[in-house]
Amino acid sequence: MVANLASVRDDFPILNQKFPNGQPLVYLDSGASAQRPRAVIDKITEVYEQYYSNVHRGVHQLGDRVTTEMEAARTRIQSFIGAASTEEIIFTSGTTMSVNMVAQTWGRHFLKGGDEIILNEMEHHANFVPWQAIARERGAILKFIQLTPEGRLDLDHYQSLLSSRTKLVAVTGMSNVLGTINPIAEMAHRAHEAGALIFVDGAQSVPHQPVDVVGSEIDFLAFSGHKVFGPSGIGVLYGRRQLLENLPPFMYGGNMISEVHLEESHWAGLPARFEAGTPPIAEAVALGTAIEYVTDLGFDAIQEQEHILGEYALQKLREVPGLQIYGPQELEQRGTIFSFNIDGAHPEDLATLLDRKGIAVRHGHHCTMPLHQHLNIAASVRASLTFYNTTEEIDALVDAIHFARQRLRLV
């Protein structure tokens, strides 16, 4: 278990609040956006109060300090994901921008008619629609890995899809609905054997499990700050240096150029080439603090606590009459994301009634309409947990579900 869990919860000021009706907040929506520890909140304040200025410009003391802080954050992120160089770490606005950046640079530059991109139905729209759009533009073909009845990728079918025409495999590290943890290293190895690249959407997986982009043979990895206990509006794109050096810029403007002439311009080196304009400076600095916070806790402790929570949640939710959990039923194959429906209850009604008891969950299609169509449902309710949650909060969730069942006259 995370050492001194009570003190860890105290690191997150929002978790200690109560609503006007006296209900304590039970925040079970970290898959949508995690909460921030005090250290991250204080870091943002520190930047604005003490040394805010633009970065990579000027020689005054404020500019030098904030540039140093931002590049220190980049170095922490490099170490956090096991990248070979800070030049492979690009600051973006989040996972969505990162996916679009690769689709519009690599895709437009290298894809041609008849090339194939491999996707699957569990992908978030952000790792689905950009590839759909660039494939249509370039005349490429989309192919889809089948899902097993348990909600896992069928690796035999995946192998059958790989060919000399395969140029890219785009896959999530962890499903934001099913909780499925995908075997990224194995999938990357198979993709490379076929001569293809792999793009990993790490928005859900990076906050919960260690990443080694080199050891896992990952070509591109994207994740968002707000899901890894950092600020919103900031994210990361990792790309192997050899790949990034051969890509054209995504946006044009200040900071991403080395020379501008009347007739032509020349681009800056990495990572500046892909960071046009003024970045979200305080957010980038504070993302480094969030990464430091997670690193200090350690993934061994985080995963131990989340394993306890996951086992308890599966046990308690299974006891609720008429409740169906989607995705793998064994905790070893999934993270602490639990999407479910209850017979006779509309997901929005259920989520609304849970909110009356202070339970914050998500409802809807969770930006995975193809997956919900595959499951033959329109929507679901999702409870997503992380290390700052407790078994008592799971009990509160289950009690609130029983309250909702009574109000909906399902008992």
Side-chain angles (χ1 to χ4, degrees):
M1 183 178 293
V2 171
N4 197 356
L5 180 60
S7 66
V8 168
R9 283 182 62 85
D10 286 342
D11 289 343
F12 295 82
I14 197 170
L15 299 181
N16 298 311
Q17 71 167 292
K18 289 188 177 182
F19 293 108
N21 63 4
Q23 294 285 353
L25 169 65
V26 177
Y27 189 76
L28 304 179
D29 199 21
S30 294
S33 196
Q35 297 299 341
R36 290 100 177 106
R38 173 65 68 186
V40 170
I41 298 169
D42 289 346
K43 194 66 175 183
I44 293 174
T45 302
E46 175 187 294
V47 173
Y48 284 121
E49 286 188 345
Q50 297 184 27
Y51 49 85
Y52 178 80
S53 177
N54 216 324
V55 291
H56 306 130
R57 296 170 174 86
V59 295
H60 56 73
Q61 294 179 45
L62 295 184
D64 182 65
R65 171 74 185 277
V66 78
T67 297
T68 298
E69 292 277 349
M70 181 170 162
E71 293 308 315
R74 198 189 305 271
T75 299
R76 288 192 187 100
I77 294 164
Q78 173 208 348
S79 176
F80 184 66
I81 65 172
S85 168
T86 55
E87 295 178 338
E88 298 175 320
I89 306 300
I90 299 165
F91 286 119
T92 69
S93 65
T95 301
T96 299
M97 180 180 175
S98 297
V99 181
N100 278 274
M101 182 181 293
V102 177
Q104 294 299 317
T105 56
W106 174 86
R108 190 166 284 165
H109 197 66
F110 288 104
L111 279 179
K112 60 183 184 299
D115 288 344
E116 296 176 355
I117 298 173
I118 295 179
L119 299 170
N120 69 86
E121 291 172 295
M122 74 170 67
E123 295 303 317
H124 189 284
H125 294 164
N127 198 34
F128 192 100
V129 178
W131 306 118
Q132 191 180 64
I134 198 65
R136 183 180 299 111
E137 176 183 323
R138 303 300 298 168
I141 299 167
L142 299 181
K143 294 200 168 182
F144 300 92
I145 308 169
Q146 294 174 354
L147 303 185
T148 68
E150 310 87 55
R152 304 177 69 191
L153 295 177
D154 185 329
L155 295 185
D156 289 337
H157 185 244
Y158 170 57
Q159 186 66 47
S160 74
L161 296 179
L162 290 166
S163 73
S164 60
R165 294 184 299 275
T166 308
K167 301 305 176 185
L168 182 80
V169 177
V171 62
T172 181
M174 181 191 298
S175 168
N176 73 313
V177 173
L178 304 175
T180 307
I181 298 173
N182 288 318
I184 297 302
E186 180 179 354
M187 294 183 71
H189 184 72
R190 294 192 191 189
H192 292 157
E193 286 186 326
L197 302 177
I198 189 165
F199 184 105
V200 178
D201 173 359
Q204 297 294 337
S205 56
V206 167
H208 302 281
Q209 59 192 46
V211 181
D212 178 0
V213 292
V214 174
S216 297
E217 301 182 48
I218 295 172
D219 297 302
F220 296 105
L221 171 75
F223 66 94
S224 299
H226 70 100
K227 294 185 192 293
V228 70
F229 318 101
S232 58
I234 185 71
V236 170
L237 171 65
Y238 158 81
R240 282 198 294 113
R241 180 171 183 162
Q242 180 182 2
L243 298 172
L244 294 176
E245 287 179 335
N246 290 316
L247 295 183
F250 176 58
M251 294 174 60
Y252 301 87
N255 193 56
M256 51 74 62
I257 47 88
S258 60
E259 294 181 20
V260 175
H261 305 282
L262 292 180
E263 301 298 331
E264 64 177 0
S265 297
H266 302 283
W267 317 131
L270 300 175
R273 181 187 307 174
F274 299 102
E275 294 181 351
T278 298
I281 297 167
E283 289 80 1
V285 172
L287 176 55
T289 302
I291 296 299
E292 185 176 26
Y293 181 87
V294 172
T295 302
D296 287 347
L297 284 181
F299 276 115
D300 287 345
I302 289 172
Q303 291 185 314
E304 182 180 352
Q305 171 68 5
E306 291 185 352
H307 186 83
I308 292 170
L309 294 171
E311 283 193 331
Y312 194 76
L314 282 173
Q315 173 193 336
K316 291 298 182 179
L317 289 172
R318 284 171 178 156
E319 294 173 357
V320 177
L323 188 147
Q324 179 181 359
I325 301 172
Y326 302 105
Q329 299 300 302
E330 300 297 327
L331 193 60
E332 289 69 24
Q333 302 166 1
R334 64 177 304 145
T336 50
I337 292 174
F338 303 99
S339 297
F340 58 88
N341 274 320
I342 295 177
D343 292 342
H346 190 285
E348 184 173 0
D349 293 338
L350 182 55
T352 299
L353 289 168
L354 294 182
D355 180 61
R356 291 188 188 179
K357 294 294 185 179
I359 313 294
V361 295
R362 193 82 160 197
H363 79 279
H365 54 66
H366 317 301
C367 295
T368 58
M369 293 181 75
L371 176 59
H372 279 71
Q373 291 165 3
H374 172 84
L375 296 171
N376 198 30
I377 56 176
S380 59
V381 176
R382 184 184 71 188
S384 47
L385 291 70
T386 189
F387 60 83
Y388 51 54
N389 291 119
T390 66
T391 55
E392 289 79 11
E393 290 181 316
I394 295 170
D395 288 335
L397 167 65
V398 173
D399 288 345
I401 291 174
H402 287 304
F403 162 77
R405 292 179 66 244
Q406 291 176 342
R407 293 302 297 268
L408 295 171
R409 299 182 179 177
L410 301 178
V411 293

